Amino acid sequence: MSPSLYSYSPLPMVSCLRESKLRDSRPLLWLVFLLCLLVVGQLVSLIIFAVKANSKGCKDGLRAQQECQNHTDHLQHQLTVAQEVLQRTKAQYTVCNQTVENLRDSLEMEKTQSQKQLKELQGEIKRLNQKLQQASEEAERLRKAFGKTTVNSGSFSCSSSSSLLFIAVVVLGLNALLT
């Protein structure tokens, strides 16, 4: 092969290797440099964040957030209790309404029954008044008939005739009550 095609002179192998290592190490150096810059940037950001996180305003905000959360939890608890009380109250309301309806129905039945009994008693009173009237008329008739016999016979006195009349009225009255 002919060396004439190459226009450069051959270099010793050692110098070639050094140049090659220098050329290969430059991107690595740049990479290391960039990584160091990145680490320093991250470190600065972390320091800034730590300073801000420990600042008075941030702590006050965190405290306010915790107080707000506590207040919210307290209100949530009160709401839960109020809802439970509401449920119990609704249940009691339903029971009371059912009781009122039952009592109203019972009262209506009792009223109807009382009116029925009242009508029956009024009918019984009318019937007894009629029997009393009849007994009274019968007693009056007996007294007149008895009075004629006492005037004729003269053996009965006034007191015995009135007792007989009383006994007749009582017997007729008892008879009317028992029937």
Side-chain angles (χ1 to χ4, degrees), residues 4 16 40 49 71 101 121 126 134 140-142 158 165 177:
S4 64
C16 205
V40 168
F49 174 75
H71 191 63
E101 286 298 319
L121 289 175
K126 277 185 180 179
Q134 290 172 356
E140 185 66 31
R141 189 181 57 76
L142 287 175
C158 186
L165 178 66
L177 287 176

Side-chain angles (χ1 to χ4, degrees), residues 105-149:
D105 292 343
S106 296
L107 181 63
E108 196 63 37
M109 286 175 30
E110 188 68 31
K111 182 179 174 184
T112 304
Q113 189 176 11
S114 294
Q115 288 174 347
K116 184 179 173 184
Q117 287 177 346
L118 179 64
K119 286 180 182 178
E120 288 175 1
L121 289 175
Q122 286 174 344
E124 183 72 20
I125 288 172
K126 277 185 180 179
R127 191 177 60 78
L128 289 176
N129 278 339
Q130 287 174 353
K131 282 190 175 187
L132 181 62
Q133 181 68 28
Q134 290 172 356
S136 212
E137 289 171 0
E138 181 71 23
E140 185 66 31
R141 189 181 57 76
L142 287 175
R143 189 169 43 98
K144 284 181 183 178
F146 185 68
K148 285 182 184 178
T149 57

Side-chain angles (χ1 to χ4, degrees), residues 144-176:
K144 284 181 183 178
F146 185 68
K148 285 182 184 178
T149 57
T150 56
V151 169
N152 292 338
S153 67
S155 63
F156 289 107
S157 67
C158 186
S159 65
S160 66
S161 67
S162 51
S163 6
L164 188 58
L165 178 66
F166 177 73
I167 290 173
V169 169
V170 168
V171 167
L172 289 173
L174 286 175
N175 189 20

Side-chain angles (χ1 to χ4, degrees), residues 1-2 42 50 57 68 76 80 86 119 150 177:
M1 297 218 194
S2 75
Q42 289 292 324
C68 183
Q76 185 66 36
T80 304
L86 178 64
K119 286 180 182 178
T150 56
L177 287 176

